[in-house]
Amino acid sequence: MNELSAILEQWYENSRLLYALVTIGAMAGIGLLFALLGAWVLRKLGIDTSRLEHK
Amino acid sequence: MYFPIAEVNIVVWYLVGIGFAVGVCGGFWGMGGGWITTPALFAMGVPMNIAVGTGLAQMVGQSVVATIWHSKFGNISTRVAGAMIPGTMLGVEIGARIMEGLKTSGQAHVDEVISLLYIILLGGLAVSTLLESLHSQRTLVRERQRRVEEGRAAAEDELQDRVSVDLAERLQHLRLPPMICCPLLRVPRMSFWVIFLAAALTGILTGLLGLGGGFLRVPMLVYLIGCPTHVAVGTDLFAIIISGGYGSFTHALKGNVDLMIALLMLLGALLGAQIGSFATRYVQGAQLRALFGVALIAATASIVVKSFLDRPQLAVLLIIGVAGVLAAMIIGLLIRGVIRSSRS
């Protein structure tokens, strides 16, 4: 974790544009990945989200 | 752990825990959670500019997860969200310029005016949301009883949120082109300018108060545009991706984002956002608004404590404590809903 922190600090010092792009990309990418992972886990658990209705 | 960009030492689990509570509340109410993350990071020793930028970055990741879930459940009106973008941008810019104007009279004056605005807006919104929610639930019960007495089955979809759309139905009569067709809304056709003006109004308040805007956008979508509560939550999250994305990019360029802190908070928020979004499927709109009213009261109380009693630590404890309790309540409602659903 400390190594990752050091790499990010290096990007922060060297190029702010790269750092800003990495920030947006990382946040959106990880969010998308986790949403897909969550859907996959629910499917594996046998919960079909498409059939859920408002209670 | 030491964070070199923010130049602070913070226990990693604190960040993950706060992220989780913010994620649950954000996914449930369609808020970014800036009202929790920014004061919490500030209290941990992160400079205010980095707390704001880092909170915005974390908000983007969390909103992506919650938006995808709400999209799966059909809770997003992309037409309304798209129509809100130009109004929001204009409003944010106007709000930011009003702030610049206030700064000329000194920082103390800015703090005083902004705190007072927060208290009036959030306090007023909290009281009206709670009253409307109670009225809505009572009307729902009466309507259900009436239908049972008449021997008709109570169609839940018809009953939901009926009392919220009176004003929206009046606005529907405004025939100012271009008109937008929104099949997801109770009001199927609406003038673009109604959405534009409403978005600009919330944008001004967002630019002035520095919040993601969920506090204001969700009630506006429900009471003014006529969105069912669940659609308002999903549509607001979609709008947060746009405004939060732009905000975090520009803050990162200015060196105001500690990506490592944002990533750790996002770990908790990702799980929380999925739980919060999923819980909306099992909670009635009126109940959802009542809990939202409680969150607003907590936010108002924390500002009163911080600004007028001069107790910043107590304010942070109050807001984090209430966020934790509300997150636990939302998880409880989800578990109860899943158990009831599996029995029926």
Side-chain angles (χ1 to χ4, degrees), chain B residues 144-159:
Chain B
R144 202 175 278 141
Q145 276 176 347
R146 194 174 63 80
R147 285 178 182 230
V148 169
E149 282 163 13
E150 288 173 4
R152 286 190 289 151
E156 290 297 323
D157 282 353
E158 278 178 43
L159 293 175

Side-chain angles (χ1 to χ4, degrees), chain A residues 5-30:
Chain A
S5 185
I7 292 168
L8 292 175
E9 190 197 6
Q10 212 168 25
W11 284 347
Y12 177 85
E13 298 295 344
N14 293 341
S15 167
R16 283 286 160 80
L17 180 63
L18 176 67
Y19 186 74
L21 289 171
V22 168
T23 298
I24 286 291
M27 292 295 129
I30 293 171

Side-chain angles (χ1 to χ4, degrees), chain A residues 12 19 31 34 42 52 54-55, chain B residues 69 230 255 257 259 274 281:
Chain A
Y12 177 85
Y19 186 74
F34 263 74
L42 284 182
L52 291 173
H54 286 296
K55 297 290 162 187
Chain B
W69 277 104
H230 301 86
V257 175
L259 186 51
Q274 308 211 35
R281 304 301 293 176

Side-chain angles (χ1 to χ4, degrees), chain B:
Chain B
M1 179 180 170
Y2 181 69
F3 297 91
I5 295 171
E7 296 178 340
V8 285
N9 273 302
I10 305 176
V11 178
V12 169
W13 290 110
Y14 286 180
L15 294 172
V16 178
I18 289 168
F20 178 74
V22 169
V24 173
C25 295
F28 192 69
W29 286 305
M31 293 187 296
W35 57 286
I36 306 171
T37 47
T38 306
L41 287 175
F42 185 56
M44 288 175 188
V46 176
M48 188 49 111
N49 56 321
I50 295 183
V52 169
T54 305
L56 272 172
Q58 180 262 330
M59 199 186 284
V60 174
Q62 174 194 318
S63 301
V64 167
V65 177
T67 303
I68 288 170
W69 277 104
H70 280 275
S71 162
K72 261 178 178 292
F73 298 147
N75 285 350
I76 296 176
S77 171
T78 44
R79 289 182 191 180
V80 172
M84 284 172 69
I85 292 171
T88 304
M89 293 293 182
L90 179 72
V92 169
E93 189 59 37
I94 293 170
R97 287 184 187 214
I98 294 173
M99 171 70 93
E100 288 302 302
L102 282 173
K103 272 187 191 170
T104 55
S105 343
Q107 188 63 41
H109 183 62
V110 174
D111 291 348
E112 204 178 281
V113 172
I114 299 297
S115 296
L116 209 62
L117 267 176
Y118 259 114
I119 292 161
I120 294 168
L121 272 170
L122 298 187
L125 204 58
V127 172
S128 64
T129 303
L130 280 173
L131 289 176
E132 189 281 332
S133 164
L134 285 173
H135 176 71
S136 183
Q137 288 194 50
R138 279 196 206 116
T139 311
L140 210 66
V141 171
R142 274 204 300 272
E143 181 73 6
R144 202 175 278 141
Q145 276 176 347
R146 194 174 63 80
R147 285 178 182 230
V148 169
E149 282 163 13
E150 288 173 4
R152 286 190 289 151
E156 290 297 323
D157 282 353
E158 278 178 43
L159 293 175
Q160 289 286 316
D161 291 339
R162 281 297 303 164
V163 290
S164 307
V165 298
D166 289 351
L167 180 60
E169 278 170 357
R170 264 178 248 154
L171 287 169
Q172 189 188 10
H173 296 298
L174 185 69
R175 297 284 176 201
L176 195 63
M179 300 293 286
I180 293 177
C181 294
C182 312
L184 272 178
L185 308 189
R186 308 278 179 198
V187 183
R189 271 170 69 84
M190 181 163 275
S191 170
F192 164 80
W193 298 107
V194 173
I195 299 169
F196 177 85
L197 284 175
L201 183 69
T202 52
I204 290 172
L205 297 173
T206 304
L208 192 58
L209 301 179
L211 291 168
F215 266 126
L216 309 163
R217 213 180 286 117
V218 171
M220 182 205 74
L221 285 166
V222 172
Y223 298 118
L224 208 62
I225 309 293
C227 282
T229 311
H230 301 86
V231 176
V233 168
T235 305
D236 176 59
L237 280 164
F238 186 82
I240 287 174
I241 294 180
I242 309 293
S243 58
Y246 174 75
S248 57
F249 181 75
T250 185
H251 272 292
L253 278 178
K254 293 174 178 69
N256 292 338
V257 175
D258 190 316
L259 186 51
M260 199 63 206
I261 293 179
L263 283 171
L264 288 168
M265 288 181 79
L266 187 61
L267 277 182
L270 288 168
L271 182 62
Q274 308 211 35
I275 292 171
S277 307
F278 206 65
T280 60
R281 304 301 293 176
Y282 294 96
V283 183
Q284 286 179 354
Q287 286 177 330
L288 206 142
R289 292 200 294 279
L291 284 174
F292 182 63
V294 174
L296 286 171
I297 287 174
T300 312
S302 80
I303 293 158
V304 172
V305 168
K306 188 174 180 182
S307 304
F308 297 104
L309 305 179
D310 201 21
R311 303 278 297 274
Q313 297 291 338
L314 182 63
V316 171
L317 269 178
L318 180 72
I319 200 132
I320 291 176
V322 171
V325 170
L326 286 173
M329 280 174 69
I330 292 166
I331 293 169
L333 284 169
L334 172 64
I335 292 169
R336 193 185 69 170
V338 170
I339 291 170
R340 279 185 181 176
S341 177
S342 61
R343 277 181 191 160
S344 59

